[in-house]
Amino acid sequence: MEFDVFTLLPEVFLPYLNSSILHRARQRGLIDVRIHNIRDWAADKHHVTDDEPYGGGGGMVMKVEPVFAAVESVLGPFPCGDDIDRLTLSRCPTGRATPEACCPVILLTPQGRVFSQKIAMELVQHPRLALICGRYEGVDERIREHLVTDEISIGDYVLTGGELPALILIDAISRLIPGVLGDPDGAMDDSHAAGLLEYPHYTRPPEYRGWGVPEILLSGDHAKIEKWRREQSLRRTLKRRLDLLESAPLSETDRKVLKKIQEEGENS
Ligand code: ADE
């Protein structure tokens, strides 16, 4: 999978991308992350990428020309053919007029739809993503209107720019690509993957400062361990994230277990 990242702070990406799992994924060719410095496309001699807002007010606004120039020079001019689906694809900047080849152009902004495991699963279906990191008070609205096909926020708080959010997207999406995690089922067990929070984990030693490990995990009985883990996931989600439980795919057995847990709570 390919990522093209457009940023004014290219230097923040490499330390993370050169570490651990993402580093290995890049070395093995499972992901290719290309970082583009928007400043390189600022036409004036001082490479200015921001300006004062029309209408006054505080803060600076990211200029439209360098962002368009950067994205178009990397992805190709747009719009591409009119024959593709309107929402994401009608603004396809790649010039490759097929839905599969079209590359979403995502602006990281607190105004976007809130990122989730579901959105990561949706985005990993694309062979290529372009990520634009906003800075300053915001971006010229024409970038939103005519270049960007999607806007994503990583949560309801405001950061100084879209660089950390872009890394978060790259991380969450990459670990869904087969082969990126050592364990082929790794991403399946994650919190959120099945709509529930994950069960608790333990590793050696079996006792630390008098705190033990649940006996069942040492029993070697895999069927019982699976059952225990599912119950723990349900307990945790019930206690911490009722909102997730309401939309999680639950079996009849899950529902019985939940009922038992709730009755325990009522009787204690
Ligand atoms: N840029 C600044 N804050 C952000 C957020 N919460 N999500 C995505 N991009 C941002």
Side-chain angles (χ1 to χ4, degrees):
M1 172 146 190
E2 299 169 51
F3 297 90
D4 284 287
V5 182
F6 298 88
T7 173
L8 290 168
L9 293 180
E11 66 277 10
V12 305
F13 287 87
L14 281 187
Y16 194 72
L17 295 174
N18 282 342
S19 311
S20 188
I21 289 175
L22 293 188
H23 187 231
R24 206 186 52 197
R26 292 174 66 218
Q27 281 185 321
R28 292 166 64 200
L30 295 170
I31 57 168
D32 184 8
V33 188
R34 297 176 290 256
I35 309 294
H36 310 283
N37 189 348
I38 297 171
R39 206 172 293 285
D40 294 342
W41 281 273
D44 66 298
K45 82 168 187 242
H46 299 296
H47 298 285
V48 174
T49 53
D50 62 331
D51 207 340
E52 291 162 359
Y54 277 126
M60 299 294 271
V61 176
M62 208 154 146
K63 285 168 73 58
V64 61
E65 307 99 306
V67 177
F68 259 79
V71 174
E72 286 191 321
S73 93
V74 171
L75 298 190
F78 79 101
C80 59
D82 281 341
D83 52 334
I84 47 176
D85 156 76
R86 299 247 37 104
L87 183 65
T88 307
L89 305 170
S90 65
R91 294 198 208 135
C92 174
T94 60
R96 289 179 282 167
T98 66
E100 301 74 39
C102 188
C103 166
V105 180
I106 301 170
L107 176 68
L108 284 313
T109 162
Q111 299 183 23
R113 56 187 178 130
V114 179
F115 192 53
S116 62
Q117 193 67 24
K118 192 161 166 242
I119 296 180
M121 288 177 189
E122 169 199 321
L123 294 177
V124 75
Q125 306 302 323
H126 294 273
R128 187 180 189 188
L129 295 177
L131 306 175
I132 303 177
C133 307
R135 282 250 133 207
Y136 313 120
E137 278 306 293
V139 302
D140 187 302
E141 191 64 18
R142 289 165 290 190
I143 295 171
R144 279 208 161 84
E145 285 173 352
H146 305 292
L147 183 63
V148 160
T149 62
D150 196 358
E151 298 184 32
I152 292 184
S153 162
I154 58 152
D156 290 339
Y157 42 84
V158 182
L159 303 168
T160 52
E163 284 74 16
L164 290 175
L167 277 171
I168 285 171
L169 258 69
I170 293 170
D171 189 306
I173 294 166
S174 297
R175 62 201 302 295
L176 298 177
I177 297 169
V180 167
L181 296 181
D183 172 2
D185 294 332
M188 303 289 285
D189 283 344
D190 285 341
S191 285
H192 297 285
L196 295 178
L197 298 183
E198 217 182 335
Y199 50 80
H201 297 277
Y202 296 87
T203 186
R204 277 182 282 263
E207 189 170 316
Y208 177 68
R209 297 190 179 185
W211 303 312
V213 169
E215 271 306 314
I216 193 142
L217 297 178
L218 310 175
S219 70
D221 185 334
H222 293 291
K224 279 198 179 143
I225 292 172
E226 276 314 300
K227 197 165 159 243
W228 180 86
R229 286 180 167 164
R230 184 74 185 171
E231 179 173 331
Q232 293 298 317
S233 274
L234 291 165
R235 272 183 195 278
R236 235 171 220 203
T237 316
L238 178 70
K239 194 160 170 217
R240 301 183 184 186
R241 292 292 303 272
L242 207 49
D243 58 315
L244 289 180
L245 205 55
E246 276 155 12
S247 48
L250 298 176
S251 67
E252 259 323 294
T253 316
D254 290 336
R255 289 184 198 285
K256 280 190 195 140
V257 172
L258 280 168
K259 196 155 171 265
K260 182 193 87 179
I261 299 169
Q262 275 163 325
E263 283 165 2
E264 269 171 27
E266 283 157 21
N267 298 333
S268 68

